[in-house]
Amino acid sequence: MSKPTETERCIESLIAVFQKYSGKDGKSCTLSKTEFLSFMNTELAAFTKNQKDPGVLDRMMKKLDLNSDGQLDFQEFLNLIGGLAIACHDSFLKASQKCI
Amino acid sequence: MSKPTETERCIESLIAVFQKYSGKDGKSCTLSKTEFLSFMNTELAAFTKNQKDPGVLDRMMKKLDLNSDGQLDFQEFLNLIGGLAIACHDSFLKASQKCI
């Protein structure tokens, strides 16, 4: 097999990261609240530690949990990654004054 | 700065890949049809070359282009990556007989 492309590597990484954290407790294919917090405080610590409001992660979990089952499935997890990517992308565009 | 986590690297990569292909022609912050085909045939060639139906990329572009402006913006591009990630994730789960 040839070397994966950057995009393929990314898709694999997102699946691997989700499986790593969702496998920590309980149902192995969803993120519980504890697993979500563990993911946010480890993988996205740079984002999390800049939040002054201690309730921000609670509200994020509630907002991401579209079917309100107290768990994040892979689709709900991807919405989180997508939302962060869009926020980063928008701030790059603003900084570079392109497409505004 | 400390080393980025796998998730942060992924978010950066998705932005970089989108910017690389969207900057090739015309509007620099969206993927034209030509740029979309270039992305699919380069970054996701393993997927593309397995499609026997020559119209599949045309139909994908139409389906992803939610606002029908003939361009894919970053949100529409992320829906493509998300859709592929979910398809891969589902087939891993099926293969491992977990969460079915």
Side-chain angles (χ1 to χ4, degrees), chain A residues 8-97:
Chain A
E8 288 166 345
R9 244 192 29 71
C10 237
I11 292 175
E12 281 174 11
S13 288
L14 290 172
I15 295 173
V17 164
F18 181 76
Q19 290 189 329
K20 177 177 167 189
Y21 287 88
S22 64
K24 284 183 188 279
D25 68 35
K27 247 179 110 180
S28 70
C29 46
T30 55
L31 290 178
S32 64
K33 178 77 175 283
T34 312
E35 289 167 339
F36 168 71
L37 295 177
S38 162
F39 167 78
M40 291 300 292
N41 289 321
T42 313
E43 288 284 324
L44 297 172
F47 167 84
T48 310
K49 72 178 179 210
N50 280 326
Q51 305 301 318
K52 283 170 191 132
D53 176 353
V56 73
L57 291 183
D58 282 354
R59 287 201 304 281
M60 281 179 77
M61 172 89 190
K62 280 213 183 86
K63 203 170 162 183
L64 289 164
D65 181 16
L66 295 176
N67 63 354
S68 302
D69 66 350
Q71 305 275 326
L72 299 183
D73 61 25
F74 188 54
Q75 168 74 70
E76 292 165 339
F77 168 78
L78 289 178
N79 292 342
L80 162 67
I81 304 298
L84 291 169
I86 286 168
C88 290
H89 183 243
D90 286 352
S91 74
F92 283 163
L93 292 183
K94 244 175 231 165
S96 64
Q97 296 285 314

Side-chain angles (χ1 to χ4, degrees), chain B residues 20-75:
Chain B
K20 177 177 168 189
Y21 287 88
S22 64
K24 283 182 189 280
D25 68 34
K27 247 180 109 181
S28 70
C29 47
T30 54
L31 290 178
S32 64
K33 178 76 177 279
T34 313
E35 289 167 339
F36 168 71
L37 295 177
S38 164
F39 167 77
M40 292 300 292
N41 289 320
T42 313
E43 288 285 324
L44 297 173
F47 167 83
T48 310
K49 72 176 181 214
N50 280 326
Q51 304 301 318
K52 282 170 193 131
D53 177 354
V56 73
L57 292 182
D58 283 354
R59 287 201 305 280
M60 280 178 77
M61 173 90 189
K62 279 213 184 87
K63 202 171 164 184
L64 289 165
D65 181 15
L66 295 177
N67 63 354
S68 303
D69 65 351
Q71 303 276 328
L72 299 185
D73 63 23
F74 188 53
Q75 168 74 71

